[in-house]
Amino acid sequence: MSDNDINKIILPYSISVRELAEKMDASPIEVIKVLMANGVMASINQNVDFDTAAVVASELGFEPELETIEEVKPEDVGEVPFWRRVIADEDEKDLKSRPPVVTMLGHVDHGKTTLLDAIRETNVAGGEEGGITQHIGAYQIEHKGKKITFLDTPGHAAFTSMRARGAQGADIVILVVAADDGVMPQTREAANHAKAARVPIVVALNKMDLPSANPELVKRQLSEIGLVPDEWDGDTIVVPVSATKKQGLEDLMEAILLVADNKEIKANPKGEVLGTVVEGELDRFRGAMATLLLQNGTIKMGDTILAGKAHGRIKAMFDFRGNRIEKAGPATPIMVMGLNDVPKAGDLFRVVESDKEARAIVAEMEAEETHKSSTPKISLEDLFAKLQAGEVQELRLIIKADVQGSLEPIVNSLTELGEKEPEVSIVILHQETGNISESDVMLAAASDAIVIGFAVEADNAAERLAEKEGVSVRLYTIIYRLIEDIEKAIKGMLKPVMVAKTIGRARVLATFSVSRFKVAAGCRVLDGEIRRNANIRVRRNDETIFDGEIGSLKRGKDDVREVREGFECGIALKQFHEFQEGDILECYVIEQEVI
Ligand code: GDP
């Protein structure tokens, strides 16, 4: 090592006086003195920018260098939404340009709603005939002859699933950051969601009209979360705006079109008709109404659609202004009437042949759901198999810890582990102190990640959502164990812990012979359900007298997959025929324990 290297010091875009002093092994007072000599008054906890810190460092005999920040590129992480995969499968020659779909994310009160309204008022051509002005959850504007579709989904709740999924439906996310308030927890979360959905981000630096706006500081904060402004040689366009003064909106539209042009946003107007549900509501007079964002194909009046589990023929169709329309193409927001139920925001919709086909698909979906509701999407136990099968190439984690002091060693050890194991990359999507919250689980569900908690708990709401979405949440209290588990998982050495879970009970009402040696039991399901592909424990006088597989399950003469509480059924077991009236049959499945 030469003398030069010894004096080199790597500094971030922004650093507190205390940290700067620590890095140089100097006293903070010394640093403050040098700052004062250069005309900068700063207290020990105040941040100074790189240029200022560099002057101090040079005066104290160091060679300062700007830290290079590794940007997480949207295309590096996250799952590709289903509709994008459909478009990717279309024949290149059928693909036509379509308007980009844009959604706004950001911290509460940073101005998303105001900005959406300002853009609508400024750009939506006025004087339209016959339109009912109403919020349908999406609108389209025209800028210099090019259309842009905005998903208009305000809501001040912390981070609703709509917004989590909003990022999935969009091509571009506008991250709204108030210039007087800077990067806040939901700004970070929103950026993570956008990255997880592989959607590029344009930052709208809002409230620039306020005297307290501090754009330079906010840009530094943005750099710290991997969004380095283009003026600092990064990839993120940061546009200063004022939603209330309607300033900078043109520049924002330009930026969106620029990003859209680079991304070649396309769809096949003649292809499979599908998209995302933006909003659903029950109208007292018109029945179930749904706002849909069409992502591929052309939808027409009279088409039968399946949206989530709701279905029906389109009886009437409106554009975002409320005008009746007959058909619509890709990236168009529409409102439809005629569904039998209200679909949920974020549900996928598509056009099907008939109501009959829709009902058959719904039945399949329901059977599938009962089947896999308790199997995690991805867990450490099945990671290795999925890696081997090429289904996943990386392990995505969300890490929550009690204090910063434990978060850092965990993240460092995991990064080291990732470097040692070339066959898998470990991607930490989000790291933070605090209990595991609903929004952590939501992010994990949206991006097929595992949530790791160290010395923290999962909130009730988070637990419920994890169960529903099949997200694996693992809690640890010893760092070594945590790292060891992950290492084992990568190497395929982590054995799943299997547990028996009782899913229902039935009482034997009668017995009858089905053949010379086989006896079946006529039963009533007392609670839960009996499933054909599950196991049965035969309980008599509080003792288990047999434990084994089901041979057949019938309702009347029909073989069935399951029988629910309150219904009668016939059950035959593969190796047990000595049923007695009054026996209790406990039905259970073996599944992986979710820690
Ligand atoms: P949201 O929670 O992100 O949707 O934020 P809102 O759009 O509801 O805005 C929150 C508050 O900030 C409101 O009182 C707005 O009037 C105010 N606001 C929004 N944009 C601006 C702006 O550009 N300048 C100023 N001064 N205030 C703004």
Side-chain angles (χ1 to χ4, degrees), residues 204-216:
L205 202 49
N206 192 29
K207 308 200 186 182
M208 285 297 287
D209 56 294
L210 293 176
S212 51
N214 190 346
E216 291 311 305

Side-chain angles (χ1 to χ4, degrees), residues 503 529-537 546-554 559-563 569-576 579 585-589:
I503 56 170
E529 62 182 29
I530 306 292
R531 260 183 239 160
R532 167 69 183 83
N533 56 0
N535 297 304
I536 293 280
R537 263 184 237 113
F546 176 78
D547 190 336
E549 287 173 69
I550 294 185
S552 76
L553 178 65
K554 286 181 189 282
D559 283 304
V560 289
R561 289 219 284 215
E562 73 216 2
V563 182
C569 59
I571 300 175
L573 301 183
K574 281 191 178 157
Q575 287 158 348
F576 180 86
F579 294 109
L585 307 187
E586 275 178 5
C587 183
Y588 68 94
V589 288

Side-chain angles (χ1 to χ4, degrees), residues 28 54 148 251 253 267 295 395 411 433 472 565 573:
I148 305 173
D251 294 341
M253 298 309 110
Q295 264 134 346
L395 171 59
V411 170
T433 54
S472 174
E565 179 178 333
L573 301 183

Side-chain angles (χ1 to χ4, degrees), residues 505-507 509 523-526 528 530 555 562-570:
R505 292 180 324 132
R507 183 195 300 281
L509 306 176
C523 308
R524 181 191 302 283
V525 183
L526 300 175
I530 306 292
R555 288 257 311 131
E562 73 216 2
V563 182
R564 301 241 163 96
E565 179 178 333
F567 289 97
E568 290 188 3
C569 59

Side-chain angles (χ1 to χ4, degrees), residues 423-547:
E423 62 269 35
V424 56
S425 45
I426 298 179
V427 178
I428 298 173
L429 281 184
H430 183 55
Q431 57 185 77
E432 203 184 22
T433 54
N435 274 348
I436 295 165
S437 67
E438 216 175 352
S439 74
D440 297 324
V441 176
M442 225 175 266
L443 176 59
S447 49
D448 260 348
I450 293 173
V451 185
I452 304 272
F454 177 77
V456 292
E457 292 172 0
D459 295 348
N460 285 343
E463 253 175 34
R464 277 197 300 274
L465 188 68
E467 172 112 352
K468 184 163 155 268
E469 296 281 336
V471 168
S472 174
V473 175
R474 300 180 71 108
L475 303 176
Y476 293 89
T477 45
I478 301 171
I479 295 187
Y480 164 74
R481 280 272 154 71
L482 187 168
I483 306 297
E484 191 185 55
D485 265 10
I486 302 231
E487 189 167 7
K488 280 187 186 162
I490 293 172
K491 294 182 173 154
M493 281 156 43
L494 197 66
K495 294 277 172 292
V497 181
M498 305 306 281
V499 287
K501 184 176 162 202
T502 304
I503 56 170
R505 292 180 324 132
R507 183 195 300 281
V508 176
L509 306 176
T511 64
F512 49 91
S513 303
V514 277
S515 68
R516 226 174 114 197
F517 303 108
K518 281 193 185 162
V519 176
C523 308
R524 181 191 302 283
V525 183
L526 300 175
D527 48 43
E529 62 182 29
I530 306 292
R531 260 183 239 160
R532 167 69 183 83
N533 56 0
N535 297 304
I536 293 280
R537 263 184 237 113
V538 181
R539 306 269 299 164
R540 189 178 297 163
N541 302 329
D542 282 339
E543 265 180 62
T544 300
I545 57 166
F546 176 78
D547 190 336

Side-chain angles (χ1 to χ4, degrees), residues 106-115 154-156 176 206-210 241-246:
H107 197 72
V108 64
D109 280 346
H110 278 198
K112 294 176 291 296
T113 318
T114 318
L115 192 55
H156 293 255
V176 182
N206 192 29
K207 308 200 186 182
M208 285 297 287
D209 56 294
L210 293 176
V241 299
S242 163
T244 43
K245 295 260 184 328
K246 296 200 169 78

Side-chain angles (χ1 to χ4, degrees), residues 337-354:
M337 232 169 88
L339 291 174
N340 68 339
D341 199 0
V342 182
K344 280 200 309 291
D347 278 347
L348 190 82
F349 83 88
R350 54 185 154 145
V351 165
V352 292
E353 276 299 309
S354 61

Side-chain angles (χ1 to χ4, degrees), residues 173-189:
V173 160
I174 298 187
L175 185 62
V176 182
V177 188
D180 63 330
D181 203 22
V183 169
M184 299 302 277
Q186 285 163 34
T187 319
R188 258 179 240 124
E189 249 171 23

